Amino acid sequence: MTGKHANNWDNRYDQERYFYGTEPNHLVARVLPGLPRGRVLCLAEGEGRNAVYAATLGHQVVAVDESFVGRRKALELAEYSGVDLEYRLDDVIGGAWTDETWDVIVLCFAHLDPAYMPSVHAACAAALAPGGTLVLCSFSRAQFGRKSGGPPRLEWLHDATELERQFPGLTLEMEEKEVHLSEGTGHVGAAMVIEMVGRKPAR
């Protein structure tokens, strides 16, 4: 695969292997099977591992990312897995997804510019349908300096106390802990993560 790419993520994904593997994140694999089928939004979805997994469970899935290479590989993975997947090339920050309602929103290592992160998280809470579920797995600030994955800038990592304030209206279950990651070549080894499941009250 050659040629110029739209962004750094295209460069990162431009290889035969899937940079973060093809299996779902551990939290996604634990939570999604227990949820009723519905509309699932996977933000900053990259090569599609979590979106494809959600589709195999019978959900109607929309992935959103700006990576052309990620989209192509995600659709290839969906075809290989025998599922349908809608993948939108759109901006996670202020994209059209905010105008729709979702039963489940997945944020898997979606480390955004800290200037925009709180507003995106609040938009996620607002876009959840009554009774909907938010699934978030991210690197905590205790991950800083480790080589197992995550942004190299402290301010882009997540703080549990700050996250609690960024999803208004949701009941949150959150845990910061060390896990062993084996997600392609991108996330490998002991890592400090925040696992969060948020639920919006049903009407």
Side-chain angles (χ1 to χ4, degrees):
M1 289 177 278
T2 59
K4 291 186 177 180
H5 305 302
N7 53 49
N8 290 331
W9 289 105
D10 277 349
N11 291 325
R12 179 170 295 184
Y13 297 148
D14 190 15
Q15 55 180 290
E16 294 301 323
R17 294 181 180 179
Y18 283 69
F19 190 74
Y20 295 113
T22 58
E23 297 299 316
N25 170 261
H26 61 279
L27 181 64
V28 173
R30 189 166 77 237
V31 174
L32 260 62
L35 301 179
R37 293 178 181 177
R39 298 191 74 220
V40 175
L41 173 67
C42 296
L43 288 174
E45 178 55 12
E47 298 166 301
R49 60 192 179 110
N50 295 308
V52 170
Y53 174 72
T56 66
L57 298 177
H59 295 286
Q60 179 186 351
V61 184
V62 173
V64 172
D65 202 295
E66 292 185 302
S67 171
F68 288 84
V69 177
R71 180 181 185 274
R72 177 179 57 76
K73 293 177 76 173
L75 294 178
E76 289 174 356
L77 182 60
E79 182 178 7
Y80 177 81
S81 303
V83 297
D84 293 322
L85 170 66
E86 180 182 353
Y87 197 115
R88 302 177 186 174
L89 290 172
D90 197 4
D91 191 354
V92 171
I93 301 170
W97 63 269
T98 58
D99 298 327
E100 301 176 60
T101 301
W102 310 92
D103 299 301
V104 181
I105 297 178
V106 175
L107 290 166
C108 184
F109 299 115
H111 290 271
L112 306 174
D113 185 326
Y116 301 103
M117 181 175 59
S119 63
V120 172
H121 288 171
C124 287
L128 274 179
T133 302
L134 177 115
V135 182
L136 179 149
C137 184
S138 67
F139 290 109
S140 78
R141 290 187 178 170
Q143 175 69 4
F144 184 69
R146 297 194 183 201
K147 304 301 183 183
S148 49
R153 290 170 286 184
L154 181 63
E155 65 272 18
W156 284 62
L157 298 169
H158 288 172
D159 176 82
T161 301
E162 292 179 359
L163 285 179
E164 285 180 335
R165 298 193 294 264
Q166 293 175 0
F167 295 93
L170 303 188
T171 300
L172 303 177
E173 298 176 5
M174 186 186 311
E175 183 178 9
E176 181 175 354
K177 64 182 182 179
E178 185 176 67
V179 299
H180 183 84
L181 296 178
S182 180
E183 300 180 329
T185 58
H187 293 159
V188 180
M192 292 299 299
V193 302
I194 295 173
E195 298 179 355
M196 187 178 78
V197 177
R199 304 189 190 278
K200 195 165 191 174
R203 290 175 180 169

